[in-house]
Amino acid sequence: MAAARVLRAGGCYRRHPLASASSSASSGSGRAAERGERPDSVGLGFRPPAHSHSDWIGPPDKLSNLRPVIFYVPPEESALERRLREARQEAQASNQRFWARHNRAFRQEKEEFIYSRLKAKGLEMRDESGQKATLNAEEMADFYKDFLSKNFKKHLQYNRDWYKQNFRITFLMGQVALVRALRWLRRRKKNVEQ
Amino acid sequence: GLFVWHLRNTGARQIPCRFVHFYHVASNRLITFQYFNFLKRMYVTQCNKDLSQRAKPKSDSIVSPFHELQQLDQEKKVVHKISSVSPIHQSWSEMSSRNELREMKSAAETEDSVIPGGAESKEDRQWKEMKLRLDDLPGILARLSKIRLTALVVSTASAGFAMAPVPFELTCFMLASLGTGLASCAANSINQFFEVPFDSNMNRTKNRPLVRGQISPLLAVCFAASCGIPGIALLTLGVNPLTGALGAFNIFLYTCCYTPLKRMSIANTWVGAVVGAIPPVMGWTAATGSLDAGALLLGGILYSWQFPHFNALSWGLREDYSRGGYCMMSVTHPGLCRRVALRHCLALIGLSVVAPVLNITTWTFPIISLPINLYISYLGFRFYRDADRSSSRKLFFCSLWHLPMLLLVMFTCKKSVLEKEDKGKLHGGSNEMAVEIRLP
C-alpha cells in the first residue's frame, strides 16, 4: 500500500497544463486575439515563434499520451473559425482529462495488483539487487481482464462523445475550408477584373 | 528489408537538419557516425517495442529533470566515442565536439526564443509546426492508407483472380487490382480517422500521421473519399457491378462495423475475418463475374487464416488492449482465443482438401500443402497448450509465411482451363460444338 500511496503522490505532483490553459484561453482569448498571442502556450511552457501563422503540436503528454496543440488565433478570426478553434480546444481538454485520469487509474491499480499478488506469494516489491519485482504476462492477465470489464461502460460513453466531437470538428473544418476557398476565388476574380 | 527502409525514412525525418545546421567540423565522418548511431538506437528500441509488449513503466514524469541530464550525457558519450576512433586528430576533434555541444544548445535556444536551459530546449525541439509540406505528403498518405497492408490485400485479390478457371485477361486484372487497392486505402484512412486517441495510447500505433498531427482530419477524410469513390467506380464500371458491390460492402464492414465493434464486443474478430476474406472473393468475381463455390472456398481459406494470425498477435498486446479499452478475446476470453486459433488451423487442412473436390485444384494440392498446414496446426496446438509469449510469437510468424506459400502452391496446382476442355473432348464427339464455343 505504501508503494501505491507514493505513486498517487507522484501523480498529483504534476500540474494539469491543459486544464488551466483552457480556462485562461476562453477568458483571455478575446484580448489575446487582438494582440495575436497564444494563450494556450502559457500552461504548456512552449511559445511558438511569433512569425508563425499555424498551429503547433507537441510531444505526447506523459499522462494522457495525447499530443497537445497550441492553436493560432488570427487577428481577423471569423465567428466560424472561432467556433472551430473553441471546439478543438474543448475536445483537447476533455480528451486530456479522460485519458490522464484513466491511465493514472490503470497504473495505480496495476501497482496495487502486483503488490497484493507478491504479498500473497510472500515476496517483496524489490528483490536483493533493488530491481522492481514484476509478475509475468499470465499472472497479469487476470488484472487486464478485470480492468477492461470494470471500465467497459466508461469506454462506451467516451466512444460516443469522441465520435460526436470528431465529426463536429471535421465538419466545421470543412465549412471553414469552403468559406476560405470561396473568399480566395472572390479575391482572385476582383484582381482579374482590376 | 522493408522494415529497415521504414526506419531509415523515419530516422531521416526525426534527425532534423539540426545536425547539419550547426555541424561545423570538417570531417564528414562525424555526422555519418552520429546518424547511424541514432538509427541503431532507434532500431533496437523499435525492435523491442514492436513484438514484446512489455509496458515501459512511466517513471519519466517523476524523474524528468534527471532524464534530461541523462540525455545530455548520452550525447557527450557519442561525441567521445568518435574522438577515440581517430586518435591522430584526438585533441582537435575533442575541442570541436565540445564546441559543437555548446553550439547545439545555443542554436536550439535562439530558434525557440525560450529561457535558456538544456532541459527546456530539448522539449521545445519536439514541438512541430502543423503545416503540411508537399514533399512529406506521399509518405504521410502512404502511412495513412497503411500501404503495406493494402499491398497484402491487393495480392490476395490477385490470388483470387488467378485461381479463377477462366483465361487470364490482363486489363481486367489491372483494373481489379487498382480498384481493390484504392478501396483498401480508403477503408484504412477512415479507420485511422476514427481511432486517433486510441492509437495515441497504444505503442504499436502511436506514430500514425493523424496522431502526430502531420495531417488534418479533414484532409484524411478527403483523401479517403478521393480513393474510395474512384476505386468503387472503377470496380463497378470497369470490372463488373458485383465486384464493385463487394468492394463497397467491405469498406462499410471495415469502417462502420469492425472499427466501432472493436471497443464493444469480441465479435469484432469474426467481422474482421470476413473483411479479410472478401478481397480474394472480389478477385474471383472480377475474373468470372459470378460468385461460385470456388470464390467462397478462397474466401474461406482467408477467413480461417485470420484467426491464428490475429489471435497470436493479440496475445502479446493484452496490456495495451486492456488500457485502451479494446474488447479482444485475448484479454476477456483467453481460453476461447487459443481454442479458436487451433480450430481454424485445422480448418485450413480441411479446406485444402475441399479445393480439388470443387475442381479448382488437382489432388496434388492437399498433398503438397499438408506439411505446411500440419506445421501451423502444430504451432496452433502449442499455443493452445502453453499459452505463453514464445508460442504466440512462433504462431504469428508462421502465419506470415504460411499464407503466401499456401496461395502459391494452390496456384501451381490449379486445374488448368485446357485440361478441363480436353476432358470435355474425350467424353464424347457430340460435345465438340460445346467445346468450341467455350474456347476464347
Side-chain angles (χ1 to χ4, degrees), chain A residues 141-191:
Chain A
D142 294 329
F143 166 68
Y144 296 146
K145 180 175 173 179
D146 200 40
F147 188 81
L148 187 65
S149 48
K150 263 201 290 189
N151 288 281
F152 184 67
K153 281 223 175 71
K154 197 167 82 169
H155 277 294
L156 281 181
Q157 183 57 44
Y158 175 74
N159 292 347
R160 241 169 278 154
D161 295 338
W162 155 248
Y163 271 70
K164 268 195 275 193
Q165 275 171 1
N166 200 19
F167 280 127
R168 180 157 166 254
I169 289 172
T170 310
F171 186 69
L172 281 168
M173 278 182 174
Q175 283 181 308
V176 167
L178 200 66
V179 164
R180 281 201 193 137
L182 287 171
R183 207 186 302 157
W184 180 80
L185 276 168
R186 229 175 283 145
R187 213 174 288 149
R188 252 192 68 186
K189 227 176 101 183
K190 236 188 274 176
N191 285 341

Tab-separated table of all heavy atoms in Angstrom, chain A residues 141-191:
chain	number	residue	atom	x	y	z
A	141	ALA	N	-2.662	-11.315	-16.639
A	141	ALA	CA	-3.853	-11.453	-17.476
A	141	ALA	C	-5.134	-11.254	-16.674
A	141	ALA	O	-6.102	-10.659	-17.170
A	141	ALA	CB	-3.863	-12.819	-18.152
A	142	ASP	N	-5.146	-11.743	-15.435
A	142	ASP	CA	-6.348	-11.565	-14.611
A	142	ASP	C	-6.635	-10.098	-14.388
A	142	ASP	O	-7.783	-9.648	-14.442
A	142	ASP	CB	-6.158	-12.239	-13.240
A	142	ASP	CG	-6.047	-13.743	-13.371
A	142	ASP	OD1	-6.675	-14.282	-14.304
A	142	ASP	OD2	-5.339	-14.356	-12.552
A	143	PHE	N	-5.571	-9.330	-14.146
A	143	PHE	CA	-5.750	-7.905	-13.915
A	143	PHE	C	-6.284	-7.221	-15.167
A	143	PHE	O	-7.194	-6.391	-15.099
A	143	PHE	CB	-4.423	-7.274	-13.484
A	143	PHE	CG	-4.433	-5.772	-13.536
A	143	PHE	CD1	-5.209	-5.047	-12.654
A	143	PHE	CD2	-3.702	-5.100	-14.494
A	143	PHE	CE1	-5.238	-3.671	-12.705
A	143	PHE	CE2	-3.732	-3.717	-14.557
A	143	PHE	CZ	-4.499	-3.004	-13.664
A	144	TYR	N	-5.714	-7.585	-16.335
A	144	TYR	CA	-6.139	-6.922	-17.569
A	144	TYR	C	-7.613	-7.188	-17.837
A	144	TYR	O	-8.367	-6.291	-18.223
A	144	TYR	CB	-5.305	-7.424	-18.754
A	144	TYR	CG	-3.837	-7.083	-18.662
A	144	TYR	CD1	-2.870	-7.949	-19.151
A	144	TYR	CD2	-3.407	-5.900	-18.084
A	144	TYR	CE1	-1.534	-7.656	-19.066
A	144	TYR	CE2	-2.069	-5.597	-17.990
A	144	TYR	CZ	-1.138	-6.481	-18.479
A	144	TYR	OH	0.196	-6.177	-18.384
A	145	LYS	N	-8.023	-8.426	-17.611
A	145	LYS	CA	-9.428	-8.785	-17.864
A	145	LYS	C	-10.335	-7.994	-16.931
A	145	LYS	O	-11.343	-7.419	-17.355
A	145	LYS	CB	-9.582	-10.281	-17.633
A	145	LYS	CG	-10.977	-10.776	-17.850
A	145	LYS	CD	-11.032	-12.287	-17.721
A	145	LYS	CE	-12.479	-12.729	-17.773
A	145	LYS	NZ	-12.615	-14.151	-17.692
A	146	ASP	N	-9.938	-7.948	-15.672
A	146	ASP	CA	-10.721	-7.253	-14.668
A	146	ASP	C	-10.838	-5.768	-14.986
A	146	ASP	O	-11.924	-5.176	-14.925
A	146	ASP	CB	-10.012	-7.467	-13.325
A	146	ASP	CG	-10.935	-7.230	-12.178
A	146	ASP	OD1	-12.107	-7.642	-12.277
A	146	ASP	OD2	-10.491	-6.618	-11.199
A	147	PHE	N	-9.698	-5.153	-15.319
A	147	PHE	CA	-9.680	-3.723	-15.592
A	147	PHE	C	-10.561	-3.386	-16.778
A	147	PHE	O	-11.293	-2.394	-16.776
A	147	PHE	CB	-8.231	-3.265	-15.841
A	147	PHE	CG	-8.083	-1.791	-15.951
A	147	PHE	CD1	-8.016	-0.994	-14.818
A	147	PHE	CD2	-7.998	-1.175	-17.190
A	147	PHE	CE1	-7.874	0.375	-14.910
A	147	PHE	CE2	-7.863	0.194	-17.293
A	147	PHE	CZ	-7.800	0.973	-16.157
A	148	LEU	N	-10.477	-4.206	-17.812
A	148	LEU	CA	-11.265	-3.937	-19.013
A	148	LEU	C	-12.755	-4.000	-18.709
A	148	LEU	O	-13.516	-3.126	-19.107
A	148	LEU	CB	-10.903	-4.952	-20.101
A	148	LEU	CG	-11.520	-4.692	-21.480
A	148	LEU	CD1	-10.974	-3.401	-22.050
A	148	LEU	CD2	-11.211	-5.842	-22.409
A	149	SER	N	-13.180	-5.029	-17.984
A	149	SER	CA	-14.617	-5.158	-17.706
A	149	SER	C	-15.101	-4.061	-16.767
A	149	SER	O	-16.206	-3.563	-16.913
A	149	SER	CB	-14.943	-6.538	-17.140
A	149	SER	OG	-14.055	-6.852	-16.120
A	150	LYS	N	-14.221	-3.621	-15.839
A	150	LYS	CA	-14.642	-2.553	-14.928
A	150	LYS	C	-14.882	-1.253	-15.670
A	150	LYS	O	-15.767	-0.477	-15.322
A	150	LYS	CB	-13.544	-2.312	-13.871
A	150	LYS	CG	-13.781	-3.024	-12.571
A	150	LYS	CD	-13.016	-2.399	-11.442
A	150	LYS	CE	-11.539	-2.659	-11.634
A	150	LYS	NZ	-10.737	-2.271	-10.490
A	151	ASN	N	-14.069	-0.987	-16.680
A	151	ASN	CA	-14.146	0.294	-17.373
A	151	ASN	C	-14.974	0.250	-18.638
A	151	ASN	O	-14.971	1.207	-19.408
A	151	ASN	CB	-12.730	0.757	-17.727
A	151	ASN	CG	-11.962	1.200	-16.501
A	151	ASN	OD1	-12.148	2.296	-16.012
A	151	ASN	ND2	-11.153	0.317	-15.983
A	152	PHE	N	-15.690	-0.843	-18.860
A	152	PHE	CA	-16.412	-1.033	-20.112
A	152	PHE	C	-17.423	0.082	-20.357
A	152	PHE	O	-17.450	0.695	-21.421
A	152	PHE	CB	-17.094	-2.404	-20.091
A	152	PHE	CG	-17.792	-2.743	-21.360
A	152	PHE	CD1	-17.086	-2.959	-22.524
A	152	PHE	CD2	-19.175	-2.839	-21.406
A	152	PHE	CE1	-17.728	-3.266	-23.710
A	152	PHE	CE2	-19.823	-3.155	-22.586
A	152	PHE	CZ	-19.107	-3.361	-23.735
A	153	LYS	N	-18.257	0.366	-19.344
A	153	LYS	CA	-19.297	1.387	-19.539
A	153	LYS	C	-18.664	2.761	-19.774
A	153	LYS	O	-19.142	3.554	-20.592
A	153	LYS	CB	-20.196	1.463	-18.292
A	153	LYS	CG	-21.219	0.383	-18.217
A	153	LYS	CD	-22.597	0.908	-17.774
A	153	LYS	CE	-23.632	-0.205	-17.827
A	153	LYS	NZ	-23.445	-1.231	-16.764
A	154	LYS	N	-17.577	3.025	-19.040
A	154	LYS	CA	-16.892	4.307	-19.189
A	154	LYS	C	-16.419	4.475	-20.628
A	154	LYS	O	-16.544	5.542	-21.226
A	154	LYS	CB	-15.695	4.326	-18.226
A	154	LYS	CG	-15.146	5.696	-17.961
A	154	LYS	CD	-14.178	5.698	-16.780
A	154	LYS	CE	-12.798	5.265	-17.181
A	154	LYS	NZ	-11.789	5.489	-16.132
A	155	HIS	N	-15.877	3.393	-21.180
A	155	HIS	CA	-15.388	3.457	-22.553
A	155	HIS	C	-16.503	3.656	-23.551
A	155	HIS	O	-16.347	4.392	-24.523
A	155	HIS	CB	-14.598	2.190	-22.901
A	155	HIS	CG	-13.179	2.246	-22.442
A	155	HIS	ND1	-12.269	3.131	-22.971
A	155	HIS	CD2	-12.527	1.542	-21.501
A	155	HIS	CE1	-11.108	2.958	-22.365
A	155	HIS	NE2	-11.230	2.002	-21.476
A	156	LEU	N	-17.646	2.999	-23.323
A	156	LEU	CA	-18.782	3.159	-24.238
A	156	LEU	C	-19.205	4.626	-24.292
A	156	LEU	O	-19.432	5.185	-25.369
A	156	LEU	CB	-19.966	2.305	-23.783
A	156	LEU	CG	-19.906	0.818	-24.117
A	156	LEU	CD1	-21.168	0.135	-23.628
A	156	LEU	CD2	-19.746	0.579	-25.597
A	157	GLN	N	-19.289	5.253	-23.112
A	157	GLN	CA	-19.691	6.658	-23.063
A	157	GLN	C	-18.649	7.526	-23.762
A	157	GLN	O	-18.989	8.431	-24.528
A	157	GLN	CB	-19.841	7.094	-21.581
A	157	GLN	CG	-20.335	8.506	-21.382
A	157	GLN	CD	-21.661	8.760	-22.040
A	157	GLN	OE1	-22.580	7.935	-21.953
A	157	GLN	NE2	-21.784	9.866	-22.744
A	158	TYR	N	-17.357	7.214	-23.502
A	158	TYR	CA	-16.296	8.008	-24.110
A	158	TYR	C	-16.314	7.870	-25.624
A	158	TYR	O	-16.107	8.846	-26.348
A	158	TYR	CB	-14.923	7.590	-23.556
A	158	TYR	CG	-13.780	8.286	-24.245
A	158	TYR	CD1	-13.507	9.629	-23.993
A	158	TYR	CD2	-12.988	7.623	-25.172
A	158	TYR	CE1	-12.475	10.283	-24.646
A	158	TYR	CE2	-11.962	8.259	-25.824
A	158	TYR	CZ	-11.702	9.590	-25.554
A	158	TYR	OH	-10.689	10.229	-26.202
A	159	ASN	N	-16.556	6.630	-26.110
A	159	ASN	CA	-16.602	6.424	-27.560
A	159	ASN	C	-17.640	7.319	-28.201
A	159	ASN	O	-17.395	7.957	-29.222
A	159	ASN	CB	-16.967	4.977	-27.904
A	159	ASN	CG	-15.891	4.018	-27.519
A	159	ASN	OD1	-14.781	4.415	-27.220
A	159	ASN	ND2	-16.225	2.748	-27.520
A	160	ARG	N	-18.841	7.340	-27.592
A	160	ARG	CA	-19.917	8.153	-28.141
A	160	ARG	C	-19.496	9.613	-28.201
A	160	ARG	O	-19.643	10.287	-29.216
A	160	ARG	CB	-21.168	7.999	-27.262
A	160	ARG	CG	-22.349	7.411	-28.010
A	160	ARG	CD	-23.456	7.026	-27.067
A	160	ARG	NE	-23.239	5.730	-26.466
A	160	ARG	CZ	-23.731	5.335	-25.293
A	160	ARG	NH1	-24.491	6.159	-24.600
A	160	ARG	NH2	-23.497	4.149	-24.819
A	161	ASP	N	-18.934	10.107	-27.103
A	161	ASP	CA	-18.517	11.508	-27.057
A	161	ASP	C	-17.428	11.787	-28.086
A	161	ASP	O	-17.446	12.813	-28.774
A	161	ASP	CB	-17.983	11.855	-25.657
A	161	ASP	CG	-19.060	11.760	-24.604
A	161	ASP	OD1	-20.251	11.853	-24.984
A	161	ASP	OD2	-18.724	11.603	-23.417
A	162	TRP	N	-16.472	10.870	-28.183
A	162	TRP	CA	-15.351	11.083	-29.098
A	162	TRP	C	-15.836	11.126	-30.543
A	162	TRP	O	-15.430	11.978	-31.327
A	162	TRP	CB	-14.290	9.988	-28.918
A	162	TRP	CG	-13.445	9.760	-30.129
A	162	TRP	CD1	-13.430	8.658	-30.917
A	162	TRP	CD2	-12.520	10.663	-30.730
A	162	TRP	NE1	-12.550	8.807	-31.966
A	162	TRP	CE2	-11.978	10.037	-31.866
A	162	TRP	CE3	-12.084	11.950	-30.420
A	162	TRP	CZ2	-11.035	10.637	-32.696
A	162	TRP	CZ3	-11.140	12.545	-31.242
A	162	TRP	CH2	-10.623	11.895	-32.366
A	163	TYR	N	-16.724	10.198	-30.938
A	163	TYR	CA	-17.224	10.190	-32.308
A	163	TYR	C	-17.971	11.490	-32.607
A	163	TYR	O	-17.801	12.090	-33.674
A	163	TYR	CB	-18.130	8.973	-32.554
A	163	TYR	CG	-17.390	7.742	-33.015
A	163	TYR	CD1	-16.559	7.045	-32.154
A	163	TYR	CD2	-17.512	7.273	-34.308
A	163	TYR	CE1	-15.877	5.918	-32.565
A	163	TYR	CE2	-16.836	6.139	-34.736
A	163	TYR	CZ	-16.010	5.464	-33.854
A	163	TYR	OH	-15.329	4.347	-34.277
A	164	LYS	N	-18.774	11.954	-31.636
A	164	LYS	CA	-19.524	13.200	-31.850
A	164	LYS	C	-18.563	14.374	-32.051
A	164	LYS	O	-18.710	15.167	-32.988
A	164	LYS	CB	-20.425	13.489	-30.633
A	164	LYS	CG	-21.826	12.907	-30.770
A	164	LYS	CD	-22.784	13.489	-29.762
A	164	LYS	CE	-22.660	12.721	-28.463
A	164	LYS	NZ	-23.736	12.979	-27.519
A	165	GLN	N	-17.547	14.460	-31.151
A	165	GLN	CA	-16.559	15.540	-31.255
A	165	GLN	C	-15.863	15.497	-32.603
A	165	GLN	O	-15.707	16.520	-33.271
A	165	GLN	CB	-15.459	15.343	-30.194
A	165	GLN	CG	-15.741	15.870	-28.863
A	165	GLN	CD	-14.665	15.386	-27.884
A	165	GLN	OE1	-13.729	14.678	-28.237
A	165	GLN	NE2	-14.821	15.779	-26.648
A	166	ASN	N	-15.424	14.307	-32.968
A	166	ASN	CA	-14.628	14.148	-34.184
A	166	ASN	C	-15.417	14.599	-35.414
A	166	ASN	O	-14.926	15.364	-36.240
A	166	ASN	CB	-14.232	12.672	-34.319
A	166	ASN	CG	-13.047	12.483	-35.237
A	166	ASN	OD1	-12.303	13.414	-35.507
A	166	ASN	ND2	-12.868	11.264	-35.707
A	167	PHE	N	-16.675	14.148	-35.500
A	167	PHE	CA	-17.498	14.536	-36.651
A	167	PHE	C	-17.746	16.030	-36.670
A	167	PHE	O	-17.662	16.679	-37.723
A	167	PHE	CB	-18.834	13.785	-36.629
A	167	PHE	CG	-18.737	12.380	-37.160
A	167	PHE	CD1	-19.202	11.305	-36.421
A	167	PHE	CD2	-18.194	12.128	-38.406
A	167	PHE	CE1	-19.113	10.016	-36.911
A	167	PHE	CE2	-18.098	10.836	-38.901
A	167	PHE	CZ	-18.559	9.778	-38.152
A	168	ARG	N	-18.029	16.582	-35.484
A	168	ARG	CA	-18.348	18.014	-35.409
A	168	ARG	C	-17.152	18.853	-35.853
A	168	ARG	O	-17.280	19.773	-36.664
A	168	ARG	CB	-18.744	18.360	-33.968
A	168	ARG	CG	-19.092	19.804	-33.793
A	168	ARG	CD	-19.985	20.053	-32.575
A	168	ARG	NE	-19.993	21.480	-32.300
A	168	ARG	CZ	-19.353	22.048	-31.284
A	168	ARG	NH1	-18.683	21.307	-30.430
A	168	ARG	NH2	-19.377	23.360	-31.123
A	169	ILE	N	-15.962	18.476	-35.323
A	169	ILE	CA	-14.761	19.247	-35.660
A	169	ILE	C	-14.444	19.125	-37.146
A	169	ILE	O	-14.126	20.110	-37.815
A	169	ILE	CB	-13.562	18.768	-34.811
A	169	ILE	CG1	-13.756	19.198	-33.361
A	169	ILE	CG2	-12.255	19.320	-35.340
A	169	ILE	CD1	-12.744	18.625	-32.411
A	170	THR	N	-14.540	17.911	-37.672
A	170	THR	CA	-14.218	17.736	-39.089
A	170	THR	C	-15.206	18.496	-39.959
A	170	THR	O	-14.819	19.098	-40.969
A	170	THR	CB	-14.233	16.239	-39.446
A	170	THR	OG1	-13.438	15.545	-38.504
A	170	THR	CG2	-13.686	16.012	-40.835
A	171	PHE	N	-16.484	18.505	-39.573
A	171	PHE	CA	-17.491	19.233	-40.339
A	171	PHE	C	-17.208	20.730	-40.318
A	171	PHE	O	-17.269	21.406	-41.359
A	171	PHE	CB	-18.884	18.933	-39.760
A	171	PHE	CG	-19.989	19.514	-40.567
A	171	PHE	CD1	-20.276	19.017	-41.830
A	171	PHE	CD2	-20.757	20.568	-40.088
A	171	PHE	CE1	-21.290	19.552	-42.588
A	171	PHE	CE2	-21.787	21.113	-40.837
A	171	PHE	CZ	-22.054	20.604	-42.091
A	172	LEU	N	-16.856	21.258	-39.127
A	172	LEU	CA	-16.508	22.681	-39.018
A	172	LEU	C	-15.282	22.995	-39.865
A	172	LEU	O	-15.228	24.036	-40.535
A	172	LEU	CB	-16.238	23.060	-37.556
A	172	LEU	CG	-17.452	23.283	-36.690
A	172	LEU	CD1	-17.058	23.363	-35.227
A	172	LEU	CD2	-18.175	24.556	-37.088
A	173	MET	N	-14.298	22.082	-39.850
A	173	MET	CA	-13.100	22.286	-40.680
A	173	MET	C	-13.494	22.386	-42.139
A	173	MET	O	-12.954	23.208	-42.899
A	173	MET	CB	-12.132	21.115	-40.515
A	173	MET	CG	-11.252	21.187	-39.318
A	173	MET	SD	-10.136	19.778	-39.312
A	173	MET	CE	-9.118	20.204	-37.950
A	174	GLY	N	-14.430	21.505	-42.556
A	174	GLY	CA	-14.891	21.545	-43.934
A	174	GLY	C	-15.546	22.869	-44.266
A	174	GLY	O	-15.272	23.462	-45.323
A	175	GLN	N	-16.382	23.372	-43.340
A	175	GLN	CA	-17.051	24.655	-43.572
A	175	GLN	C	-16.038	25.780	-43.692
A	175	GLN	O	-16.121	26.627	-44.603
A	175	GLN	CB	-18.015	24.960	-42.419
A	175	GLN	CG	-19.301	24.186	-42.491
A	175	GLN	CD	-20.227	24.550	-41.351
A	175	GLN	OE1	-19.841	24.518	-40.201
A	175	GLN	NE2	-21.450	24.887	-41.679
A	176	VAL	N	-15.071	25.798	-42.772
A	176	VAL	CA	-14.048	26.859	-42.790
A	176	VAL	C	-13.262	26.803	-44.093
A	176	VAL	O	-12.994	27.835	-44.719
A	176	VAL	CB	-13.112	26.712	-41.565
A	176	VAL	CG1	-11.884	27.565	-41.717
A	176	VAL	CG2	-13.849	27.080	-40.302
A	177	ALA	N	-12.896	25.587	-44.508
A	177	ALA	CA	-12.109	25.444	-45.739
A	177	ALA	C	-12.905	25.950	-46.933
A	177	ALA	O	-12.362	26.627	-47.816
A	177	ALA	CB	-11.719	23.986	-45.932
A	178	LEU	N	-14.213	25.638	-46.940
A	178	LEU	CA	-15.070	26.066	-48.044
A	178	LEU	C	-15.162	27.586	-48.107
A	178	LEU	O	-15.006	28.202	-49.174
A	178	LEU	CB	-16.471	25.460	-47.845
A	178	LEU	CG	-17.349	25.382	-49.075
A	178	LEU	CD1	-16.741	24.410	-50.063
A	178	LEU	CD2	-18.748	24.943	-48.697
A	179	VAL	N	-15.405	28.197	-46.924
A	179	VAL	CA	-15.524	29.665	-46.871
A	179	VAL	C	-14.225	30.310	-47.343
A	179	VAL	O	-14.229	31.281	-48.121
A	179	VAL	CB	-15.887	30.107	-45.436
A	179	VAL	CG1	-15.647	31.577	-45.237
A	179	VAL	CG2	-17.317	29.740	-45.128
A	180	ARG	N	-13.087	29.745	-46.884
A	180	ARG	CA	-11.785	30.322	-47.276
A	180	ARG	C	-11.573	30.201	-48.781
A	180	ARG	O	-11.073	31.135	-49.417
A	180	ARG	CB	-10.655	29.597	-46.552
A	180	ARG	CG	-10.491	30.046	-45.146
A	180	ARG	CD	-9.109	29.709	-44.619
A	180	ARG	NE	-9.097	29.886	-43.177
A	180	ARG	CZ	-8.538	29.051	-42.304
A	180	ARG	NH1	-7.944	27.967	-42.747
A	180	ARG	NH2	-8.575	29.304	-41.024
A	181	ALA	N	-11.973	29.054	-49.326
A	181	ALA	CA	-11.791	28.832	-50.767
A	181	ALA	C	-12.628	29.825	-51.561
A	181	ALA	O	-12.147	30.415	-52.541
A	181	ALA	CB	-12.179	27.404	-51.120
A	182	LEU	N	-13.880	30.033	-51.110
A	182	LEU	CA	-14.756	30.976	-51.815
A	182	LEU	C	-14.187	32.385	-51.737
A	182	LEU	O	-14.198	33.137	-52.709
A	182	LEU	CB	-16.167	30.937	-51.206
A	182	LEU	CG	-16.966	29.680	-51.536
A	182	LEU	CD1	-18.249	29.637	-50.714
A	182	LEU	CD2	-17.321	29.640	-53.021
A	183	ARG	N	-13.660	32.748	-50.545
A	183	ARG	CA	-13.090	34.080	-50.363
A	183	ARG	C	-11.905	34.276	-51.296
A	183	ARG	O	-11.751	35.329	-51.920
A	183	ARG	CB	-12.621	34.240	-48.899
A	183	ARG	CG	-12.645	35.685	-48.436
A	183	ARG	CD	-12.041	35.841	-47.059
A	183	ARG	NE	-12.727	35.031	-46.072
A	183	ARG	CZ	-12.182	34.628	-44.917
A	183	ARG	NH1	-10.930	34.944	-44.641
A	183	ARG	NH2	-12.865	33.893	-44.065
A	184	TRP	N	-11.083	33.252	-51.388
A	184	TRP	CA	-9.899	33.328	-52.247
A	184	TRP	C	-10.299	33.486	-53.704
A	184	TRP	O	-9.712	34.277	-54.434
A	184	TRP	CB	-9.047	32.064	-52.024
A	184	TRP	CG	-7.807	31.988	-52.840
A	184	TRP	CD1	-6.619	32.606	-52.612
A	184	TRP	CD2	-7.631	31.217	-54.033
A	184	TRP	NE1	-5.708	32.276	-53.577
A	184	TRP	CE2	-6.299	31.424	-54.468
A	184	TRP	CE3	-8.454	30.367	-54.775
A	184	TRP	CZ2	-5.783	30.800	-55.601
A	184	TRP	CZ3	-7.937	29.764	-55.912
A	184	TRP	CH2	-6.610	29.994	-56.309
A	185	LEU	N	-11.340	32.717	-54.120
A	185	LEU	CA	-11.809	32.809	-55.501
A	185	LEU	C	-12.353	34.201	-55.794
A	185	LEU	O	-12.082	34.787	-56.847
A	185	LEU	CB	-12.918	31.777	-55.753
A	185	LEU	CG	-12.444	30.367	-56.101
A	185	LEU	CD1	-13.595	29.388	-56.036
A	185	LEU	CD2	-11.817	30.346	-57.485
A	186	ARG	N	-13.121	34.759	-54.817
A	186	ARG	CA	-13.694	36.085	-54.982
A	186	ARG	C	-12.588	37.129	-55.129
A	186	ARG	O	-12.661	38.025	-55.969
A	186	ARG	CB	-14.580	36.429	-53.782
A	186	ARG	CG	-15.946	36.952	-54.200
A	186	ARG	CD	-16.851	37.159	-53.003
A	186	ARG	NE	-17.379	35.902	-52.506
A	186	ARG	CZ	-17.609	35.647	-51.212
A	186	ARG	NH1	-17.338	36.550	-50.297
A	186	ARG	NH2	-18.101	34.488	-50.840
A	187	ARG	N	-11.517	36.965	-54.298
A	187	ARG	CA	-10.414	37.932	-54.341
A	187	ARG	C	-9.701	37.853	-55.685
A	187	ARG	O	-9.330	38.862	-56.270
A	187	ARG	CB	-9.421	37.625	-53.206
A	187	ARG	CG	-8.773	38.887	-52.660
A	187	ARG	CD	-7.920	38.589	-51.448
A	187	ARG	NE	-8.716	38.276	-50.292
A	187	ARG	CZ	-8.345	37.445	-49.299
A	187	ARG	NH1	-7.194	36.858	-49.339
A	187	ARG	NH2	-9.142	37.226	-48.272
A	188	ARG	N	-9.558	36.631	-56.166
A	188	ARG	CA	-8.888	36.456	-57.469
A	188	ARG	C	-9.697	37.091	-58.579
A	188	ARG	O	-9.149	37.754	-59.467
A	188	ARG	CB	-8.704	34.965	-57.761
A	188	ARG	CG	-7.263	34.516	-57.651
A	188	ARG	CD	-7.064	33.143	-58.204
A	188	ARG	NE	-7.238	33.101	-59.645
A	188	ARG	CZ	-7.223	31.987	-60.369
A	188	ARG	NH1	-7.071	30.825	-59.773
A	188	ARG	NH2	-7.381	32.016	-61.656
A	189	LYS	N	-11.028	36.907	-58.493
A	189	LYS	CA	-11.899	37.492	-59.521
A	189	LYS	C	-11.753	39.014	-59.514
A	189	LYS	O	-11.668	39.657	-60.559
A	189	LYS	CB	-13.354	37.107	-59.224
A	189	LYS	CG	-14.109	36.604	-60.461
A	189	LYS	CD	-15.502	36.127	-60.147
A	189	LYS	CE	-16.524	37.178	-60.525
A	189	LYS	NZ	-17.888	36.772	-60.154
A	190	LYS	N	-11.701	39.580	-58.259
A	190	LYS	CA	-11.570	41.041	-58.143
A	190	LYS	C	-10.256	41.504	-58.759
A	190	LYS	O	-10.209	42.505	-59.470
A	190	LYS	CB	-11.617	41.441	-56.653
A	190	LYS	CG	-12.697	42.455	-56.365
A	190	LYS	CD	-12.614	42.983	-54.954
A	190	LYS	CE	-13.369	42.049	-54.025
A	190	LYS	NZ	-13.244	42.449	-52.604
A	191	ASN	N	-9.163	40.731	-58.477
A	191	ASN	CA	-7.854	41.099	-59.012
A	191	ASN	C	-7.850	41.050	-60.526
A	191	ASN	O	-7.273	41.914	-61.183
A	191	ASN	CB	-6.766	40.154	-58.466
A	191	ASN	CG	-6.443	40.470	-57.014
A	191	ASN	OD1	-6.733	41.560	-56.534
A	191	ASN	ND2	-5.846	39.513	-56.326
